[in-house]
Tab-separated table of all heavy atoms in Angstrom:
chain	number	residue	atom	x	y	z
A	1	MET	N	126.443	31.144	117.575
A	1	MET	CA	126.237	32.314	118.393
A	1	MET	C	127.534	33.123	118.436
A	1	MET	O	128.592	32.602	118.748
A	1	MET	CB	125.823	31.890	119.799
A	1	MET	CG	125.663	33.049	120.743
A	1	MET	SD	125.433	32.470	122.420
A	1	MET	CE	123.717	32.771	122.629
A	2	LYS	N	127.452	34.394	118.118
A	2	LYS	CA	128.625	35.265	118.138
A	2	LYS	C	128.853	35.807	119.530
A	2	LYS	O	127.907	36.147	120.235
A	2	LYS	CB	128.455	36.428	117.165
A	2	LYS	CG	128.499	36.030	115.720
A	2	LYS	CD	128.474	37.249	114.840
A	2	LYS	CE	128.547	36.863	113.387
A	2	LYS	NZ	128.562	38.021	112.512
A	3	ARG	N	130.114	35.887	119.896
A	3	ARG	CA	130.470	36.457	121.190
A	3	ARG	C	130.881	37.906	121.002
A	3	ARG	O	131.577	38.251	120.058
A	3	ARG	CB	131.628	35.696	121.821
A	3	ARG	CG	131.295	34.288	122.164
A	3	ARG	CD	132.487	33.641	122.810
A	3	ARG	NE	132.203	32.243	123.084
A	3	ARG	CZ	133.062	31.411	123.593
A	3	ARG	NH1	134.279	31.816	123.891
A	3	ARG	NH2	132.740	30.164	123.818
A	4	LYS	N	130.474	38.745	121.926
A	4	LYS	CA	130.877	40.148	121.884
A	4	LYS	C	132.075	40.344	122.789
A	4	LYS	O	132.122	39.846	123.905
A	4	LYS	CB	129.747	41.060	122.343
A	4	LYS	CG	128.604	41.141	121.367
A	4	LYS	CD	127.612	42.179	121.808
A	4	LYS	CE	126.492	42.310	120.793
A	4	LYS	NZ	125.544	43.356	121.168
A	5	HIS	N	133.067	41.036	122.276
A	5	HIS	CA	134.263	41.346	123.052
A	5	HIS	C	134.344	42.860	123.211
A	5	HIS	O	134.338	43.591	122.239
A	5	HIS	CB	135.525	40.834	122.360
A	5	HIS	CG	135.534	39.341	122.222
A	5	HIS	ND1	135.769	38.508	123.287
A	5	HIS	CD2	135.336	38.528	121.156
A	5	HIS	CE1	135.724	37.257	122.875
A	5	HIS	NE2	135.461	37.238	121.593
A	6	SER	N	134.421	43.312	124.449
A	6	SER	CA	134.472	44.746	124.686
A	6	SER	C	135.855	45.321	124.429
A	6	SER	O	136.003	46.485	124.135
A	6	SER	CB	134.047	45.054	126.124
A	6	SER	OG	134.902	44.405	127.036
A	7	ALA	N	136.892	44.510	124.562
A	7	ALA	CA	138.256	44.970	124.319
A	7	ALA	C	138.958	43.957	123.428
A	7	ALA	O	138.600	42.789	123.385
A	7	ALA	CB	139.003	45.123	125.644
A	8	ALA	N	139.953	44.452	122.725
A	8	ALA	CA	140.720	43.556	121.871
A	8	ALA	C	141.489	42.556	122.729
A	8	ALA	O	141.993	42.899	123.794
A	8	ALA	CB	141.681	44.364	121.016
A	9	LEU	N	141.553	41.341	122.276
A	9	LEU	CA	142.286	40.316	123.019
A	9	LEU	C	143.774	40.493	122.769
A	9	LEU	O	144.219	40.604	121.640
A	9	LEU	CB	141.851	38.928	122.575
A	9	LEU	CG	140.412	38.545	122.889
A	9	LEU	CD1	140.093	37.185	122.310
A	9	LEU	CD2	140.185	38.545	124.380
A	10	LEU	N	144.528	40.546	123.844
A	10	LEU	CA	145.975	40.665	123.749
A	10	LEU	C	146.610	39.342	124.130
A	10	LEU	O	146.089	38.617	124.978
A	10	LEU	CB	146.473	41.760	124.705
A	10	LEU	CG	145.987	43.167	124.430
A	10	LEU	CD1	146.461	44.106	125.531
A	10	LEU	CD2	146.499	43.644	123.091
A	11	PRO	N	147.747	39.036	123.531
A	11	PRO	CA	148.420	37.808	123.949
A	11	PRO	C	148.934	37.945	125.378
A	11	PRO	O	149.270	39.037	125.835
A	11	PRO	CB	149.577	37.687	122.954
A	11	PRO	CG	149.767	39.054	122.415
A	11	PRO	CD	148.437	39.736	122.486
A	12	ALA	N	148.977	36.848	126.090
A	12	ALA	CA	149.410	36.874	127.483
A	12	ALA	C	150.920	36.999	127.601
A	12	ALA	O	151.423	37.461	128.617
A	12	ALA	CB	148.940	35.614	128.193
A	13	THR	N	151.647	36.591	126.559
A	13	THR	CA	153.106	36.656	126.583
A	13	THR	C	153.635	37.272	125.295
A	13	THR	O	152.919	37.381	124.297
A	13	THR	CB	153.720	35.256	126.736
A	13	THR	OG1	153.311	34.453	125.637
A	13	THR	CG2	153.301	34.605	128.041
A	14	CYS	N	154.906	37.658	125.345
A	14	CYS	CA	155.559	38.176	124.153
A	14	CYS	C	157.006	37.707	124.146
A	14	CYS	O	157.521	37.207	125.146
A	14	CYS	CB	155.468	39.696	124.082
A	14	CYS	SG	156.350	40.542	125.388
A	15	SER	N	157.670	37.893	123.033
A	15	SER	CA	159.067	37.495	122.901
A	15	SER	C	159.976	38.617	123.399
A	15	SER	O	159.521	39.741	123.648
A	15	SER	CB	159.392	37.179	121.442
A	15	SER	OG	159.345	38.368	120.674
A	16	ALA	N	161.262	38.323	123.496
A	16	ALA	CA	162.227	39.342	123.914
A	16	ALA	C	162.306	40.471	122.888
A	16	ALA	O	162.453	41.636	123.252
A	16	ALA	CB	163.602	38.715	124.126
A	17	VAL	N	162.151	40.135	121.628
A	17	VAL	CA	162.187	41.158	120.572
A	17	VAL	C	160.979	42.083	120.686
A	17	VAL	O	161.107	43.313	120.587
A	17	VAL	CB	162.246	40.492	119.175
A	17	VAL	CG1	162.129	41.516	118.072
A	17	VAL	CG2	163.533	39.680	119.029
A	18	GLU	N	159.799	41.514	120.930
A	18	GLU	CA	158.586	42.324	121.090
A	18	GLU	C	158.662	43.172	122.355
A	18	GLU	O	158.258	44.341	122.351
A	18	GLU	CB	157.356	41.431	121.131
A	18	GLU	CG	157.093	40.711	119.823
A	18	GLU	CD	156.076	39.592	119.951
A	18	GLU	OE1	155.928	39.023	121.042
A	18	GLU	OE2	155.428	39.293	118.928
A	19	ALA	N	159.190	42.594	123.433
A	19	ALA	CA	159.344	43.333	124.686
A	19	ALA	C	160.321	44.492	124.507
A	19	ALA	O	160.105	45.585	125.019
A	19	ALA	CB	159.816	42.407	125.793
A	20	ALA	N	161.387	44.252	123.762
A	20	ALA	CA	162.376	45.302	123.502
A	20	ALA	C	161.768	46.449	122.695
A	20	ALA	O	162.033	47.621	122.971
A	20	ALA	CB	163.573	44.716	122.769
A	21	ALA	N	160.938	46.107	121.740
A	21	ALA	CA	160.270	47.153	120.958
A	21	ALA	C	159.332	47.970	121.833
A	21	ALA	O	159.255	49.190	121.718
A	21	ALA	CB	159.500	46.522	119.800
A	22	TYR	N	158.634	47.302	122.749
A	22	TYR	CA	157.703	47.980	123.652
A	22	TYR	C	158.433	48.918	124.615
A	22	TYR	O	158.000	50.041	124.846
A	22	TYR	CB	156.896	46.933	124.428
A	22	TYR	CG	155.914	47.513	125.414
A	22	TYR	CD1	154.778	48.180	124.974
A	22	TYR	CD2	156.126	47.390	126.772
A	22	TYR	CE1	153.867	48.713	125.880
A	22	TYR	CE2	155.226	47.922	127.683
A	22	TYR	CZ	154.103	48.579	127.230
A	22	TYR	OH	153.214	49.107	128.127
A	23	LEU	N	159.562	48.450	125.169
A	23	LEU	CA	160.317	49.259	126.134
A	23	LEU	C	161.386	50.128	125.482
A	23	LEU	O	162.103	50.841	126.167
A	23	LEU	CB	160.975	48.351	127.181
A	23	LEU	CG	160.028	47.577	128.078
A	23	LEU	CD1	160.822	46.705	129.039
A	23	LEU	CD2	159.107	48.508	128.841
A	24	GLN	N	161.488	50.053	124.171
A	24	GLN	CA	162.440	50.840	123.389
A	24	GLN	C	163.877	50.606	123.856
A	24	GLN	O	164.605	51.536	124.211
A	24	GLN	CB	162.085	52.318	123.435
A	24	GLN	CG	160.739	52.610	122.833
A	24	GLN	CD	160.348	54.057	122.944
A	24	GLN	OE1	161.019	54.843	123.591
A	24	GLN	NE2	159.256	54.428	122.311
A	25	CYS	N	164.256	49.334	123.877
A	25	CYS	CA	165.626	48.955	124.215
A	25	CYS	C	165.987	47.755	123.347
A	25	CYS	O	165.224	47.360	122.474
A	25	CYS	CB	165.752	48.629	125.701
A	25	CYS	SG	164.772	47.223	126.241
A	26	SER	N	167.134	47.160	123.586
A	26	SER	CA	167.567	46.012	122.792
A	26	SER	C	167.073	44.706	123.423
A	26	SER	O	166.834	44.652	124.629
A	26	SER	CB	169.083	45.984	122.682
A	26	SER	OG	169.652	45.652	123.933
A	27	PRO	N	166.953	43.662	122.618
A	27	PRO	CA	166.584	42.357	123.176
A	27	PRO	C	167.605	41.868	124.205
A	27	PRO	O	167.239	41.184	125.163
A	27	PRO	CB	166.538	41.439	121.954
A	27	PRO	CG	166.236	42.353	120.815
A	27	PRO	CD	166.935	43.639	121.150
A	28	LYS	N	168.878	42.215	124.026
A	28	LYS	CA	169.898	41.824	125.009
A	28	LYS	C	169.616	42.478	126.358
A	28	LYS	O	169.839	41.866	127.403
A	28	LYS	CB	171.286	42.219	124.526
A	28	LYS	CG	171.799	41.345	123.409
A	28	LYS	CD	173.209	41.724	123.024
A	28	LYS	CE	173.711	40.836	121.905
A	28	LYS	NZ	175.103	41.147	121.533
A	29	SER	N	169.119	43.705	126.352
A	29	SER	CA	168.766	44.381	127.605
A	29	SER	C	167.610	43.670	128.295
A	29	SER	O	167.586	43.559	129.522
A	29	SER	CB	168.397	45.841	127.349
A	29	SER	OG	169.500	46.549	126.854
A	30	ILE	N	166.661	43.190	127.522
A	30	ILE	CA	165.529	42.446	128.082
A	30	ILE	C	166.028	41.179	128.763
A	30	ILE	O	165.634	40.871	129.889
A	30	ILE	CB	164.494	42.109	126.982
A	30	ILE	CG1	163.868	43.385	126.415
A	30	ILE	CG2	163.417	41.174	127.515
A	30	ILE	CD1	163.043	44.183	127.391
A	31	VAL	N	166.923	40.446	128.095
A	31	VAL	CA	167.468	39.214	128.671
A	31	VAL	C	168.240	39.528	129.953
A	31	VAL	O	168.135	38.805	130.947
A	31	VAL	CB	168.344	38.474	127.641
A	31	VAL	CG1	169.047	37.287	128.271
A	31	VAL	CG2	167.498	38.023	126.460
A	32	LYS	N	168.993	40.618	129.964
A	32	LYS	CA	169.726	41.019	131.170
A	32	LYS	C	168.762	41.334	132.307
A	32	LYS	O	169.006	40.972	133.463
A	32	LYS	CB	170.609	42.233	130.890
A	32	LYS	CG	171.835	41.915	130.086
A	32	LYS	CD	172.664	43.169	129.847
A	32	LYS	CE	173.865	42.885	128.972
A	32	LYS	NZ	174.660	44.101	128.719
A	33	MET	N	167.650	42.009	132.006
A	33	MET	CA	166.658	42.315	133.035
A	33	MET	C	165.996	41.053	133.568
A	33	MET	O	165.717	40.951	134.765
A	33	MET	CB	165.603	43.295	132.496
A	33	MET	CG	166.123	44.703	132.318
A	33	MET	SD	164.820	45.913	132.011
A	33	MET	CE	164.455	45.593	130.303
A	34	ILE	N	165.752	40.074	132.702
A	34	ILE	CA	165.167	38.808	133.143
A	34	ILE	C	166.134	38.087	134.070
A	34	ILE	O	165.763	37.631	135.151
A	34	ILE	CB	164.806	37.917	131.938
A	34	ILE	CG1	163.663	38.532	131.134
A	34	ILE	CG2	164.425	36.506	132.400
A	34	ILE	CD1	163.416	37.866	129.799
A	35	ARG	N	167.381	37.999	133.653
A	35	ARG	CA	168.388	37.291	134.459
A	35	ARG	C	168.656	37.990	135.786
A	35	ARG	O	168.986	37.342	136.776
A	35	ARG	CB	169.666	37.133	133.662
A	35	ARG	CG	169.500	36.128	132.537
A	35	ARG	CD	170.775	35.833	131.824
A	35	ARG	NE	170.562	34.744	130.864
A	35	ARG	CZ	171.233	34.600	129.746
A	35	ARG	NH1	172.194	35.458	129.436
A	35	ARG	NH2	170.971	33.596	128.941
A	36	ALA	N	168.500	39.325	135.821
A	36	ALA	CA	168.705	40.081	137.063
A	36	ALA	C	167.475	40.029	137.965
A	36	ALA	O	167.519	40.503	139.093
A	36	ALA	CB	169.051	41.527	136.734
A	37	GLY	N	166.365	39.503	137.452
A	37	GLY	CA	165.145	39.409	138.252
A	37	GLY	C	164.307	40.678	138.238
A	37	GLY	O	163.392	40.825	139.037
A	38	ILE	N	164.599	41.590	137.324
A	38	ILE	CA	163.844	42.843	137.237
A	38	ILE	C	162.461	42.595	136.638
A	38	ILE	O	161.463	43.146	137.098
A	38	ILE	CB	164.631	43.886	136.423
A	38	ILE	CG1	165.946	44.200	137.144
A	38	ILE	CG2	163.808	45.136	136.195
A	38	ILE	CD1	166.908	45.027	136.337
A	39	ILE	N	162.412	41.796	135.600
A	39	ILE	CA	161.138	41.385	135.007
A	39	ILE	C	161.134	39.859	134.925
A	39	ILE	O	162.180	39.239	134.763
A	39	ILE	CB	160.889	42.017	133.615
A	39	ILE	CG1	162.013	41.666	132.643
A	39	ILE	CG2	160.680	43.503	133.705
A	39	ILE	CD1	161.768	42.125	131.225
A	40	PRO	N	159.967	39.232	135.036
A	40	PRO	CA	159.920	37.772	134.937
A	40	PRO	C	159.984	37.316	133.483
A	40	PRO	O	159.571	38.042	132.569
A	40	PRO	CB	158.571	37.427	135.562
A	40	PRO	CG	157.742	38.632	135.341
A	40	PRO	CD	158.688	39.808	135.389
A	41	GLY	N	160.509	36.151	133.282
A	41	GLY	CA	160.578	35.585	131.946
A	41	GLY	C	161.077	34.156	132.024
A	41	GLY	O	161.620	33.733	133.033
A	42	ALA	N	160.896	33.418	130.947
A	42	ALA	CA	161.340	32.036	130.888
A	42	ALA	C	161.878	31.741	129.496
A	42	ALA	O	161.427	32.317	128.500
A	42	ALA	CB	160.177	31.102	131.196
A	43	PHE	N	162.856	30.869	129.449
A	43	PHE	CA	163.430	30.434	128.184
A	43	PHE	C	162.761	29.117	127.809
A	43	PHE	O	163.037	28.073	128.389
A	43	PHE	CB	164.946	30.256	128.338
A	43	PHE	CG	165.668	30.153	127.031
A	43	PHE	CD1	165.772	31.245	126.200
A	43	PHE	CD2	166.242	28.964	126.640
A	43	PHE	CE1	166.449	31.168	124.993
A	43	PHE	CE2	166.918	28.857	125.442
A	43	PHE	CZ	167.033	29.971	124.613
A	44	ILE	N	161.842	29.176	126.849
A	44	ILE	CA	161.050	28.013	126.464
A	44	ILE	C	161.243	27.757	124.971
A	44	ILE	O	161.037	28.664	124.159
A	44	ILE	CB	159.550	28.239	126.768
A	44	ILE	CG1	159.355	28.514	128.248
A	44	ILE	CG2	158.723	27.043	126.310
A	44	ILE	CD1	157.960	28.927	128.620
A	45	CYS	N	161.650	26.545	124.649
A	45	CYS	CA	161.836	26.144	123.244
A	45	CYS	C	162.748	27.110	122.487
A	45	CYS	O	162.405	27.594	121.407
A	45	CYS	CB	160.497	26.001	122.528
A	45	CYS	SG	159.476	24.703	123.188
A	46	ARG	N	163.869	27.423	123.082
A	46	ARG	CA	164.879	28.307	122.494
A	46	ARG	C	164.359	29.722	122.232
A	46	ARG	O	164.771	30.397	121.285
A	46	ARG	CB	165.453	27.709	121.220
A	46	ARG	CG	166.184	26.405	121.457
A	46	ARG	CD	166.820	25.885	120.222
A	46	ARG	NE	165.793	25.419	119.291
A	46	ARG	CZ	166.006	25.183	118.021
A	46	ARG	NH1	167.197	25.350	117.510
A	46	ARG	NH2	165.043	24.771	117.243
A	47	LYS	N	163.429	30.184	123.065
A	47	LYS	CA	162.853	31.516	122.901
A	47	LYS	C	162.498	32.076	124.271
A	47	LYS	O	161.955	31.375	125.117
A	47	LYS	CB	161.590	31.409	122.036
A	47	LYS	CG	160.901	32.705	121.766
A	47	LYS	CD	159.675	32.477	120.901
A	47	LYS	CE	158.856	33.719	120.762
A	47	LYS	NZ	157.633	33.519	120.017
A	48	TRP	N	162.823	33.340	124.502
A	48	TRP	CA	162.440	33.998	125.755
A	48	TRP	C	160.971	34.372	125.690
A	48	TRP	O	160.500	34.911	124.688
A	48	TRP	CB	163.279	35.246	125.998
A	48	TRP	CG	164.652	34.921	126.475
A	48	TRP	CD1	165.802	34.927	125.746
A	48	TRP	CD2	165.020	34.517	127.790
A	48	TRP	NE1	166.857	34.549	126.525
A	48	TRP	CE2	166.410	34.292	127.788
A	48	TRP	CE3	164.321	34.313	128.971
A	48	TRP	CZ2	167.101	33.884	128.915
A	48	TRP	CZ3	165.017	33.912	130.093
A	48	TRP	CH2	166.385	33.703	130.065
A	49	VAL	N	160.255	34.091	126.757
A	49	VAL	CA	158.826	34.397	126.856
A	49	VAL	C	158.627	35.272	128.092
A	49	VAL	O	159.043	34.911	129.187
A	49	VAL	CB	157.996	33.101	126.969
A	49	VAL	CG1	156.524	33.411	127.088
A	49	VAL	CG2	158.262	32.198	125.773
A	50	ILE	N	158.006	36.437	127.881
A	50	ILE	CA	157.806	37.415	128.951
A	50	ILE	C	156.313	37.705	129.071
A	50	ILE	O	155.642	37.951	128.065
A	50	ILE	CB	158.564	38.719	128.638
A	50	ILE	CG1	160.059	38.431	128.474
A	50	ILE	CG2	158.354	39.756	129.714
A	50	ILE	CD1	160.524	38.475	127.073
A	51	PRO	N	155.762	37.705	130.296
A	51	PRO	CA	154.345	38.065	130.474
A	51	PRO	C	154.111	39.550	130.133
A	51	PRO	O	154.847	40.422	130.585
A	51	PRO	CB	154.082	37.817	131.953
A	51	PRO	CG	155.219	37.005	132.446
A	51	PRO	CD	156.373	37.274	131.552
A	52	VAL	N	153.098	39.813	129.350
A	52	VAL	CA	152.792	41.190	128.941
A	52	VAL	C	152.407	42.039	130.156
A	52	VAL	O	152.789	43.210	130.239
A	52	VAL	CB	151.663	41.196	127.874
A	52	VAL	CG1	151.220	42.600	127.558
A	52	VAL	CG2	152.143	40.494	126.617
A	53	ASP	N	151.689	41.455	131.114
A	53	ASP	CA	151.303	42.203	132.313
A	53	ASP	C	152.521	42.696	133.079
A	53	ASP	O	152.512	43.798	133.623
A	53	ASP	CB	150.441	41.334	133.227
A	53	ASP	CG	149.085	41.016	132.626
A	53	ASP	OD1	148.686	41.721	131.679
A	53	ASP	OD2	148.445	40.068	133.099
A	54	ALA	N	153.570	41.894	133.116
A	54	ALA	CA	154.799	42.292	133.814
A	54	ALA	C	155.468	43.471	133.106
A	54	ALA	O	155.998	44.374	133.761
A	54	ALA	CB	155.757	41.116	133.906
A	55	LEU	N	155.427	43.470	131.780
A	55	LEU	CA	156.018	44.586	131.031
A	55	LEU	C	155.258	45.886	131.271
A	55	LEU	O	155.867	46.940	131.462
A	55	LEU	CB	156.031	44.283	129.535
A	55	LEU	CG	157.047	43.279	129.056
A	55	LEU	CD1	156.897	43.065	127.564
A	55	LEU	CD2	158.454	43.725	129.379
A	56	THR	N	153.938	45.792	131.251
A	56	THR	CA	153.156	47.016	131.474
A	56	THR	C	153.348	47.534	132.894
A	56	THR	O	153.423	48.740	133.108
A	56	THR	CB	151.669	46.786	131.177
A	56	THR	OG1	151.199	45.682	131.941
A	56	THR	CG2	151.433	46.526	129.703
A	57	ALA	N	153.456	46.626	133.864
A	57	ALA	CA	153.704	47.046	135.247
A	57	ALA	C	155.087	47.680	135.381
A	57	ALA	O	155.246	48.695	136.054
A	57	ALA	CB	153.576	45.853	136.189
A	58	TYR	N	156.094	47.087	134.734
A	58	TYR	CA	157.443	47.641	134.776
A	58	TYR	C	157.457	49.030	134.137
A	58	TYR	O	158.024	49.968	134.671
A	58	TYR	CB	158.417	46.711	134.047
A	58	TYR	CG	159.802	47.278	133.922
A	58	TYR	CD1	160.683	47.249	135.001
A	58	TYR	CD2	160.237	47.848	132.739
A	58	TYR	CE1	161.951	47.770	134.899
A	58	TYR	CE2	161.503	48.375	132.625
A	58	TYR	CZ	162.364	48.338	133.706
A	58	TYR	OH	163.618	48.859	133.596
A	59	TYR	N	156.802	49.154	132.987
A	59	TYR	CA	156.760	50.433	132.280
A	59	TYR	C	156.018	51.488	133.102
A	59	TYR	O	156.448	52.628	133.189
A	59	TYR	CB	156.078	50.243	130.923
A	59	TYR	CG	156.163	51.446	130.027
A	59	TYR	CD1	157.372	51.816	129.455
A	59	TYR	CD2	155.041	52.204	129.738
A	59	TYR	CE1	157.460	52.917	128.628
A	59	TYR	CE2	155.117	53.313	128.910
A	59	TYR	CZ	156.329	53.662	128.354
A	59	TYR	OH	156.415	54.757	127.537
A	60	ALA	N	154.926	51.115	133.738
A	60	ALA	CA	154.175	52.052	134.580
A	60	ALA	C	155.019	52.506	135.755
A	60	ALA	O	155.000	53.675	136.149
A	60	ALA	CB	152.880	51.411	135.065
A	61	GLY	N	155.792	51.595	136.339
A	61	GLY	CA	156.677	51.950	137.441
A	61	GLY	C	157.758	52.902	137.012
A	61	GLY	O	158.131	53.826	137.738
A	62	LYS	N	158.289	52.719	135.830
A	62	LYS	CA	159.330	53.610	135.307
A	62	LYS	C	158.758	55.008	135.067
A	62	LYS	O	159.425	55.995	135.298
A	62	LYS	CB	159.913	53.072	133.988
A	62	LYS	CG	160.881	51.963	134.177
A	62	LYS	CD	162.118	52.475	134.874
A	62	LYS	CE	163.193	51.427	134.918
A	62	LYS	NZ	164.363	51.842	135.645
A	63	ILE	N	157.530	55.080	134.613
A	63	ILE	CA	156.905	56.390	134.391
A	63	ILE	C	156.726	57.113	135.715
A	63	ILE	O	157.017	58.296	135.850
A	63	ILE	CB	155.547	56.238	133.666
A	63	ILE	CG1	155.781	55.787	132.227
A	63	ILE	CG2	154.764	57.530	133.681
A	63	ILE	CD1	154.523	55.431	131.492
A	64	GLU	N	156.267	56.403	136.743
A	64	GLU	CA	156.072	56.996	138.059
A	64	GLU	C	157.399	57.483	138.644
A	64	GLU	O	157.476	58.560	139.217
A	64	GLU	CB	155.420	56.003	139.022
A	64	GLU	CG	153.944	55.780	138.749
A	64	GLU	CD	153.128	57.055	138.903
A	64	GLU	OE1	153.356	57.803	139.861
A	64	GLU	OE2	152.277	57.287	138.047
A	65	VAL	N	158.463	56.707	138.489
A	65	VAL	CA	159.775	57.096	139.008
A	65	VAL	C	160.261	58.345	138.309
A	65	VAL	O	160.760	59.267	138.929
A	65	VAL	CB	160.786	55.934	138.850
A	65	VAL	CG1	162.197	56.400	139.136
A	65	VAL	CG2	160.411	54.784	139.764
A	66	SER	N	160.100	58.412	136.985
A	66	SER	CA	160.599	59.559	136.237
A	66	SER	C	159.780	60.817	136.536
A	66	SER	O	160.291	61.920	136.497
A	66	SER	CB	160.601	59.277	134.746
A	66	SER	OG	159.279	59.094	134.270
A	67	ARG	N	158.509	60.677	136.893
A	67	ARG	CA	157.686	61.834	137.206
A	67	ARG	C	158.015	62.411	138.581
A	67	ARG	O	157.823	63.589	138.822
A	67	ARG	CB	156.209	61.459	137.176
A	67	ARG	CG	155.686	61.267	135.782
A	67	ARG	CD	154.217	60.947	135.801
A	67	ARG	NE	153.741	60.709	134.451
A	67	ARG	CZ	152.568	60.193	134.175
A	67	ARG	NH1	151.743	59.854	135.131
A	67	ARG	NH2	152.210	59.994	132.927
A	68	LYS	N	158.513	61.578	139.495
A	68	LYS	CA	158.834	62.033	140.840
A	68	LYS	C	160.085	62.884	140.889
A	68	LYS	O	160.298	63.625	141.816
A	68	LYS	CB	159.011	60.821	141.777
A	68	LYS	CG	157.708	60.105	142.058
A	68	LYS	CD	157.939	58.934	142.965
A	68	LYS	CE	156.644	58.190	143.200
A	68	LYS	NZ	156.848	57.003	144.044
A	69	ARG	N	160.932	62.782	139.893
A	69	ARG	CA	162.185	63.526	139.897
A	69	ARG	C	162.000	64.981	139.659
A	69	ARG	O	161.261	65.637	139.272
A	69	ARG	CB	163.147	62.977	138.841
A	69	ARG	CG	163.642	61.621	139.225
A	69	ARG	CD	164.621	61.152	138.226
A	69	ARG	NE	165.076	59.825	138.630
A	69	ARG	CZ	165.900	59.107	137.936
A	69	ARG	NH1	166.388	59.560	136.816
A	69	ARG	NH2	166.263	57.927	138.339
């Protein structure tokens, strides 16, 4: 039996490199934001793992802040 998916499945997490590409910054900036508590993340198996939902929420917040100016 085939399952129908209305939306494409996205991964729940991404790496620091993928997060940096999404936010258009460097991976070092992503790590600094994680360590500062700006975005959540964890260092698992020698790799930073960031929830995609947290990135989209952070990005949406940045858009709202920039529009208010």
Side-chain angles (χ1 to χ4, degrees):
M1 177 189 254
K2 290 186 179 182
R3 295 181 183 177
K4 289 187 177 183
H5 297 286
S6 60
L9 294 176
L10 297 175
T13 60
C14 65
S15 68
V17 174
E18 294 167 333
Y22 179 70
L23 296 179
Q24 298 177 353
C25 63
S26 70
K28 286 183 180 182
S29 296
I30 295 295
V31 173
K32 286 180 183 179
M33 288 192 283
I34 293 169
R35 289 186 173 151
I38 298 170
I39 58 174
F43 195 69
I44 301 172
C45 296
R46 297 184 290 164
K47 181 180 172 184
W48 284 102
V49 179
I50 301 106
V52 173
D53 292 343
L55 286 178
T56 55
Y58 174 79
Y59 189 71
K62 282 293 188 184
I63 290 172
E64 286 298 317
V65 169
S66 65
R67 286 182 182 168
K68 290 180 182 178
R69 290 183 180 177

